[in-house]
Amino acid sequence: MELKFSKVERRGPITIVTLSRPEVYNALHIDAHFELNKVFDDFAADPEQWVAVVTGAGDKAFCAGNDLKWQAAGGKRGWDKGGFAGLTSRFACDKPIIAAVNGVAMGGGFEIALACDLIIASENATFALPEPRVGLAALAGGLHRLPRQIGLKRAMGMILTARHVSAKEGLDLGFVNEVVPQGEALSGALRWAEMITKNSPMSIRASKQTIRKGLAVSLEQAIEEQREYPAVKAMVASQDYIEGPKAFSEKRPPKWVGK
């Protein structure tokens, strides 16, 4: 597939996806959503790719959200089954996805970041759900993910005021994992990705799936059912499940195969 609104680079087991509409601060429209949905479908299906990093082109914006000028000009609005940028409704992907936020992350852009497993933000990053200022609401997951990630009162303080939050405050609130110098969001995210790839990808997928499924039920039910989760069963049946303890006993680095 020819990519018009994004760029994809693979570095070993790490896929880097760059939202590439810098002329509109990487705001997204329907064609970009469908393209990105296919990009992340390909990542999820590729056994050689273990972690994804998503960032924005240029040094000003991660993603300014929905392309309102496109919408105001009569452009059709919508997205594929994966949601905004192919990510906000992608609940079945058990591979880690990291947001490298290199500037503005507004509305849908912030919702993309919230849908990722980690957020690494540059010092100049700014986050907000400003939809109420233009008569909209953050219905691509922001109104549900933010309260779950930082607590109700803190989330209400952002959502009801539509205020802008700095990277440092995002770290204090708990939705940012690390703040790095301006221009280093991608390198910071890749550092985290490389740390993840030191671990068995089967274990990582089992861990992510267990966390996500477990949060949807009671603690008692989660612990009782976790060994029946598909990714946990796949981990137990994998070569990595044998290799890990064997490498430890032989005092050598494990050779993960991801199956």
Side-chain angles (χ1 to χ4, degrees), residues 77 79 83-84 88-89 91 107-108 111 129 131-132 135-145:
R77 189 180 180 194
W79 43 69
F84 201 94
T88 60
S89 295
F91 299 106
E111 290 174 296
L129 294 176
E131 284 86 348
L136 304 173
L139 299 178
L143 298 181
H144 302 290
R145 285 192 169 96

Side-chain angles (χ1 to χ4, degrees), residues 11 53 100 120 178 180-181 183-194:
R11 298 187 188 180
V53 174
I120 312 305
E178 183 184 1
V180 296
E184 296 183 16
L186 180 57
S187 60
L190 287 170
R191 175 166 41 81
W192 282 79
E194 287 162 3

Side-chain angles (χ1 to χ4, degrees), residues 29-66:
H29 57 9
I30 185 170
D31 293 340
H33 292 310
F34 273 79
E35 177 177 299
L36 286 160
N37 191 76
K38 179 62 167 59
V39 165
F40 285 107
D41 278 351
D42 290 346
F43 162 71
D46 189 342
E48 301 300 320
Q49 295 302 296
W50 297 357
V51 184
V53 174
V54 57
T55 193
D59 58 1
K60 296 181 179 179
F62 173 71
C63 175
N66 181 42

Side-chain angles (χ1 to χ4, degrees), residues 18-205:
T18 303
L19 311 179
S20 189
R21 300 188 75 217
E23 70 281 2
V24 289
Y25 290 82
N26 301 317
L28 302 178
H29 57 9
I30 185 170
D31 293 340
H33 292 310
F34 273 79
E35 177 177 299
L36 286 160
N37 191 76
K38 179 62 167 59
V39 165
F40 285 107
D41 278 351
D42 290 346
F43 162 71
D46 189 342
E48 301 300 320
Q49 295 302 296
W50 297 357
V51 184
V53 174
V54 57
T55 193
D59 58 1
K60 296 181 179 179
F62 173 71
C63 175
N66 181 42
D67 189 340
L68 293 177
K69 291 183 178 179
W70 166 274
Q71 183 178 337
K76 183 180 178 182
R77 189 180 180 194
W79 43 69
D80 208 338
K81 61 184 183 300
F84 201 94
L87 281 178
T88 60
S89 295
R90 185 173 294 275
F91 299 106
C93 182
D94 299 317
K95 299 178 181 180
I97 302 174
I98 304 172
V101 181
N102 53 313
V104 170
M106 297 289 165
F110 188 20
E111 290 174 296
I112 295 169
L114 289 171
C116 294
D117 300 296
L118 303 174
I119 297 177
I120 312 305
S122 61
E123 292 173 332
N124 64 313
T126 306
F127 303 87
L129 294 176
E131 284 86 348
R133 294 184 179 179
V134 291
L136 304 173
L139 299 178
L143 298 181
H144 302 290
R145 285 192 169 96
L146 191 60
R148 284 167 168 79
Q149 293 182 20
I150 68 173
L152 181 60
K153 290 295 189 290
R154 289 181 169 189
M156 285 291 197
M158 286 187 64
I159 292 164
L160 300 184
T161 62
R163 70 186 183 88
H164 292 192
V165 167
S166 68
K168 182 181 181 303
E169 186 177 357
L171 183 66
D172 293 339
L173 287 171
F175 65 79
V176 170
N177 292 87
E178 183 184 1
V179 178
V180 296
Q182 184 172 347
E184 296 183 16
L186 180 57
S187 60
L190 287 170
R191 175 166 41 81
W192 282 79
E194 287 162 3
M195 285 193 286
I196 292 171
T197 62
K198 300 293 184 184
N199 304 307
S200 164
M202 303 302 291
S203 297
I204 293 298
R205 292 168 204 165

